[in-house]
Amino acid sequence: NAGVTQTPKFRILKIGQSMTLQCTQDMNHNYMYWYRQDPGMGLKLIYYSVGAGITDKGEVPNGYNVSRSTTEDFPLRLELAAPSQTSVYFCASSYPGQGAAGELFFGEGSRLTVL
Amino acid sequence: AQTVTQSQPEMSVQEAETVTLSCTYDTSESDYYLFWYKQPPSRQMILVIRQEAYKQQNATENRFSVNFQKAAKSFSLKISDSQLGDAAMYFCAYRSALYGGATNKLIFGTGTLLAVQP
């Protein structure tokens, strides 16, 4: 059981470039999330999805886009990368509400540096 | 909106001793979950312990236990018999038990970096 898988684990981008962080889960979870973690800080929600075809903004969505064409996949797109997007990105998934006592399952994180 | 506050940016404990990490939260909801996640240098987010708000009994997991004070909106983590492998960043987090949308997101505190001295 792979859980939540993110790729790539590390990436260096130049200012203005674009890229997609891939996330897939094999637990048939409805809910998926993208968080970013800046140095010495907690995680902040970028985007989330409650099911295939449904996405919505979190706290810090500017400069990002997402799509959810299947239950398993939830890619995060960075358009016109900026130094402020240097961060560690985490994908997570869960059942909604009390379905599984509320736990989020996290991927291993993707460290992105924009130079 | 719910908030989670961890007022101790760093803590230190001697190996085999006990340490308590503090967390307070603010919410108007009555049904929710609280979590402690551990993040070692590997970056992986590891669930340490979970507390359901409707349960009065404090959760325990081996050397880890919580002191959940619902009226005071306090949720501290006690680590007993500290080990070198406990050294990590610890995050307190809140999640609504209501069904639907952004209400089910995990809201994190800023973390407490725990050092374990041999």
Side-chain angles (χ1 to χ4, degrees), chain A residues 9-10 31 33 35 37 41-43 45 48 88 90 94-98 101-104 106 108-109 111, chain B residues 31 33 35 37 39 42-45 47 50 52 89 91 95 97-102 104-106 108-110:
Chain A
K9 288 187 170 49
F10 301 93
Y31 280 40
Y33 309 83
Y35 284 88
Q37 183 183 23
M41 303 293 289
L43 281 68
L45 184 66
Y48 68 95
V88 178
F90 286 93
S94 76
Y95 293 109
Q98 299 183 31
E103 178 181 357
L104 265 65
F106 286 85
E108 294 183 347
R111 180 179 294 278
Chain B
D31 197 9
Y33 300 102
F35 305 85
Y37 276 89
Q39 186 181 43
S42 67
R43 255 189 359 232
Q44 181 70 40
M45 294 291 286
L47 180 65
R50 166 182 46 233
E52 288 92 341
M89 181 74 87
F91 291 100
R95 190 181 190 205
L98 294 175
Y99 182 93
N104 288 139
K105 68 183 179 185
L106 207 58
F108 288 89
T110 52

Side-chain angles (χ1 to χ4, degrees), chain B residues 4 11 18 27 31 43 45 56 59 62 78 83 99 103 114-117:
Chain B
V4 177
M11 293 281 286
T18 295
T27 184
D31 197 9
R43 255 189 359 232
M45 294 291 286
Q56 292 187 338
N62 300 316
K78 184 171 83 171
Q83 301 175 358
Y99 182 93
T103 59
L114 178 66
V116 180
Q117 309 298 331

Side-chain angles (χ1 to χ4, degrees), chain A residues 16-108:
Chain A
Q17 288 185 320
S18 299
M19 74 160 295
T20 299
L21 297 175
Q22 302 291 345
C23 176
T24 187
Q25 52 91 10
D26 61 0
M27 297 173 281
N28 201 33
H29 285 166
N30 293 328
Y31 280 40
M32 296 189 73
Y33 309 83
W34 275 105
Y35 284 88
R36 61 176 285 173
Q37 183 183 23
D38 298 323
M41 303 293 289
L43 281 68
K44 293 190 176 181
L45 184 66
I46 305 171
Y47 270 95
Y48 68 95
S49 169
V50 301
I54 305 170
T55 63
D56 208 346
K57 297 177 181 179
E59 301 170 81
V60 289
N62 291 342
Y64 307 94
N65 278 300
V66 294
S67 59
R68 184 95 181 269
S69 56
T70 67
T71 298
E72 294 79 17
D73 300 309
F74 189 42
L76 177 71
R77 177 82 176 165
L78 281 72
E79 304 283 359
L80 299 174
S84 61
Q85 293 178 304
T86 294
S87 191
V88 178
Y89 292 83
F90 286 93
C91 181
S93 70
S94 76
Y95 293 109
Q98 299 183 31
E103 178 181 357
L104 265 65
F105 296 82
F106 286 85
E108 294 183 347

